[in-house]
Amino acid sequence: MKKFIVFSVMLYLCFLPVTAQSASGSTLSNQNANFPSGSINGRTEMGRNVAPLTVPNVELNITSPQSGQEVAFSVRLLLLMTVLTLAPSILILLTCFLRFSIVLDFIKRALSLQQVPPTMVLQGIAFFMTIFVMWPVFSDIYKNSYKPLADGQISIEQAYEQAESPIRLFMYGQMSDDTSYITMFMNMSRLERPNTLADVPTYVLIPAYILHELTVAFKIGVLLYIPFIVIDMVVASILMSMGMMMLPPVQISMPFKLMLFVLVDGWGLLTQQLFNSVIR
């Protein structure tokens, strides 16, 4: 009899949670049935007034060219895509961006600064200074090359010639007083000595201009280094005379260099001189 009673109690305890869940479920269903008027049941369907997301259909057809004009058009398209890919390199090497970026990096190292200002900030300053200086050249290219091409007045070859001319004039203008690099590349190409700019091919003018810009930028960097090196030498000699050989001279000289740079308005002078070095 005791065993039967214990068995009955265990069965009751096992079926009690199931009964409670069923009772709570019936209670929730009764509550849902008793919602106030105006309420609706939730659904996951999209409303009729909501427009579905449309994904454009992109098709790519590759066909064999049927004439020489189609082959020429494909080659032109490939060359245009290549130029767009090399656009950052063209902007860096064929403008004054190379000079500005190198000089700004020199001044950062001369001040013994490691993280301030960041490299991206210096590159941004050089980029916008380049746009400021090169704006007349870009305007000339847009007016005489891109706009007539977009209006259908000239062909792609003519647009290329019109866009190439202002860039060539700018690069040659920077090397007008030092044509040694042009002569060097002309000799390596075994070409005759040029008399005018028209006699210098573009593939000779570009590397000559790049080397010229590197040389000018390093000359400016060396001149910027001289006063800060003097400060470093003075601070190092004072520390040595005081017996503070274990103290890094950079920690002492850097505040003095920063104060000197700020007092003489270093950023303003540097920007003005860089501008004058390009626009004469």
Side-chain angles (χ1 to χ4, degrees):
M1 188 64 180
K2 292 181 179 180
K3 293 181 179 181
F4 178 75
I5 294 173
V6 173
F7 182 72
S8 300
V9 172
M10 291 179 66
L11 285 177
Y12 176 75
L13 294 176
C14 291
F15 284 103
L16 182 61
V18 178
T19 306
Q21 289 180 1
S22 61
S24 63
S26 61
T27 303
L28 290 175
S29 62
N30 293 333
Q31 291 178 357
N32 292 333
N34 296 326
F35 273 175
S37 59
S39 61
I40 58 174
N41 295 326
R43 63 175 185 268
T44 58
E45 298 178 357
M46 184 179 294
R48 297 180 180 179
N49 297 327
V50 179
L53 178 64
T54 57
V55 180
N57 187 16
V58 180
E59 295 183 359
L60 179 62
N61 296 325
I62 300 177
T63 59
S64 300
Q66 302 298 326
S67 62
Q69 293 181 353
E70 294 183 357
V71 175
F73 177 76
S74 300
V75 173
R76 290 175 183 175
L77 183 61
L78 180 61
L79 292 176
L80 179 61
M81 295 177 63
T82 304
V83 171
L84 292 177
T85 304
L86 298 176
S89 299
I90 294 175
L91 178 63
I92 292 173
L93 298 178
L94 303 188
T95 61
C96 53
F97 179 85
L98 183 63
R99 181 187 303 186
F100 291 167
S101 61
I102 293 176
V103 171
L104 291 176
D105 189 72
F106 263 108
I107 195 64
K108 178 181 177 180
R109 297 177 184 275
L111 291 172
S112 303
L113 300 175
Q114 301 297 327
Q115 302 296 332
V116 180
T119 304
M120 293 299 295
V121 174
L122 294 180
Q123 298 298 321
I125 295 173
F127 175 73
F128 285 105
M129 287 178 59
T130 302
I131 293 178
F132 175 75
V133 173
M134 299 291 296
W135 190 257
V137 179
F138 294 155
S139 299
D140 194 4
I141 294 174
Y142 175 81
K143 185 186 300 182
N144 299 325
S145 176
Y146 177 78
K147 192 65 170 58
L149 178 64
D151 296 338
Q153 299 176 0
I154 58 176
S155 61
I156 297 180
E157 290 81 4
Q158 294 175 342
Y160 171 75
E161 293 177 357
Q162 294 294 330
E164 183 185 24
S165 178
I167 296 293
R168 285 173 53 89
L169 289 175
F170 172 78
M171 291 189 295
Y172 185 76
Q174 300 301 312
M175 297 183 294
S176 59
D177 52 351
D178 184 12
T179 59
S180 58
Y181 289 112
I182 296 179
T183 305
M184 181 184 69
F185 280 101
M186 293 290 288
N187 293 332
M188 288 191 293
S189 300
R190 296 182 180 179
L191 299 175
E192 296 181 359
R193 183 180 180 86
N195 296 322
T196 60
L197 175 61
D199 299 332
V200 181
T202 304
Y203 67 88
V204 172
L205 187 61
I206 290 176
Y209 172 75
I210 294 173
L211 293 183
H212 177 268
E213 287 295 293
L214 287 174
T215 303
V216 173
F218 273 79
K219 288 180 180 179
I220 297 174
V222 170
L223 294 176
L224 290 174
Y225 250 107
I226 292 176
F228 299 110
I229 289 178
V230 172
I231 295 176
D232 288 333
M233 294 176 61
V234 171
V235 172
S237 61
I238 293 175
L239 292 178
M240 288 288 293
S241 62
M242 296 177 63
M244 298 181 180
M245 294 177 294
M246 301 301 295
L247 182 63
V250 177
Q251 294 184 358
I252 307 300
S253 63
M254 184 177 66
F256 290 100
K257 291 189 288 186
L258 288 176
M259 287 188 293
L260 174 64
F261 190 74
V262 172
L263 289 176
V264 300
D265 191 17
W267 292 114
L269 291 176
L270 181 62
T271 303
Q272 185 178 3
Q273 293 303 317
L274 285 175
F275 178 80
N276 293 334
S277 67
V278 178
I279 306 298
R280 304 175 185 177

